[in-house]
Amino acid sequence: GQNIDQPTEMTATEGAIVQINCTYQTSGFNGLFWYQQHAGEAPTFLSYNVLDGLEEKGRFSSFLSRSKGYSYLLLKELQMKDSASYLCAVRDGDYKLSFGAGTTVTVRA
Amino acid sequence: GAVVSQHPSRVICKSGTSVKIECRSLDFQATTMFWYRQFPKKSLMLMATSNEGSKATYEQGVEKDKFLINHASLTLSTLTVTSAHPEDSSFYICSARDFNEREAGDTQYFGPGTRLTVL
């Protein structure tokens, strides 16, 4: 089975940096994904890690440590539109995704 | 990125009726599509894996006779909720697996979701 944990909520100020942690214990590992989901909408793909290290894409970066079963998503220069739920998902050997419960990020002016 | 559509976006039906939801990959071929449901403020729960030309694979606890899946072509999968009841009310989301995504090897792109309300 899969066990994926991430914080429920985080609040930060516009322009600041927020780091969302995700820990996982899975029966198979074939990559870790981060998705952004606004209320009432479908998730949109943000990042993918399969090897250890940091992947940077503009204001968003994602880090993976496979030995520790740990990942984080870093959001820099926060904007109001970044207020959303961020989902950590682990892909297994059958290419199925298992999702964490999501972290709701609220950006305040 | 790849585009996936879903239709309808919202549906309200009476208890006992059946509802069909379509999922289409618009600019790529998807041999594999996935169906999820999501309750308010909860994460996505995988219901089944839909493979083109073969039977769907259902996750444990999902009734295959209630949630009928048909993946008739490389760009279309349908989910039919049969004899719907109020407890089937949920947000249903499909995703399609794109093999041509260089960045992620292959990744899943999600449709916009279908809000089902059963009265």
Side-chain angles (χ1 to χ4, degrees):
Chain A
Q2 318 288 46
N3 187 18
I4 302 167
D5 291 314
Q6 51 182 128
T8 305
E9 294 180 328
M10 301 183 76
T11 301
T13 306
E14 196 173 14
I17 298 173
V18 70
Q19 177 174 315
I20 307 170
N21 296 323
C22 172
T23 58
Y24 63 90
Q25 293 174 311
T26 59
S27 56
F29 182 84
N30 190 15
L32 187 142
F33 293 77
W34 284 95
Y35 286 86
Q36 180 191 61
Q37 186 179 26
H38 286 98
E41 300 179 8
T44 55
F45 170 73
L46 288 179
S47 70
Y48 164 77
N49 296 71
V50 68
L51 300 176
D52 290 351
L54 186 69
E55 294 285 341
E56 297 187 81
K57 284 179 66 176
R59 294 189 299 115
F60 295 171
S61 303
S62 58
F63 172 83
L64 175 68
S65 170
R66 288 171 297 170
S67 62
K68 295 182 179 179
Y70 168 71
S71 173
Y72 68 72
L73 178 69
L74 195 68
L75 286 63
K76 293 179 279 190
E77 300 170 19
L78 279 174
Q79 301 175 9
M80 299 301 287
K81 66 178 181 180
D82 297 329
S83 292
S85 181
Y86 291 85
L87 307 175
C88 172
V90 174
R91 184 170 65 187
D92 66 14
D94 292 327
Y95 294 93
K96 293 191 293 187
L97 289 178
S98 294
F99 285 84
T103 299
T104 300
V105 172
T106 302
V107 181
R108 294 185 173 164
Chain B
V3 180
V4 177
S5 70
Q6 259 183 263
H7 178 79
S9 57
R10 287 181 179 272
V11 58
I12 301 173
C13 68
K14 293 182 179 179
S15 186
T17 60
S18 294
V19 175
K20 180 186 282 188
I21 303 170
E22 293 186 348
C23 176
R24 293 181 185 274
S25 56
L26 298 185
D27 51 0
F28 65 100
Q29 294 182 330
T31 56
T32 305
M33 292 183 174
F34 301 87
W35 287 96
Y36 299 82
R37 66 185 296 182
Q38 185 177 35
F39 293 103
K41 297 187 178 180
K42 299 291 185 182
S43 192
L44 284 77
M45 297 296 295
L46 179 65
M47 298 175 65
T49 303
S50 170
N51 296 299
E52 187 266 336
S54 63
K55 291 183 179 180
T57 304
Y58 290 81
E59 295 300 298
Q60 192 172 9
V62 178
E63 300 176 60
K64 62 180 181 180
D65 294 330
K66 180 165 186 64
F67 299 99
L68 300 179
I69 292 172
N70 187 337
H71 195 149
S73 77
L74 287 172
T75 59
L76 173 64
S77 175
T78 60
L79 168 69
T80 301
V81 183
T82 62
S83 186
H85 289 94
E87 58 265 30
D88 298 324
S89 298
S90 190
F91 191 49
Y92 291 87
I93 307 175
C94 73
S95 70
R97 185 179 164 197
D98 181 7
F99 284 91
N100 294 320
E101 176 56 57
R102 297 191 191 93
E103 192 171 296
D106 71 80
T107 193
Q108 291 184 33
Y109 291 95
F110 288 83
T114 297
R115 176 77 58 192
L116 171 64
T117 303
V118 184
L119 302 176

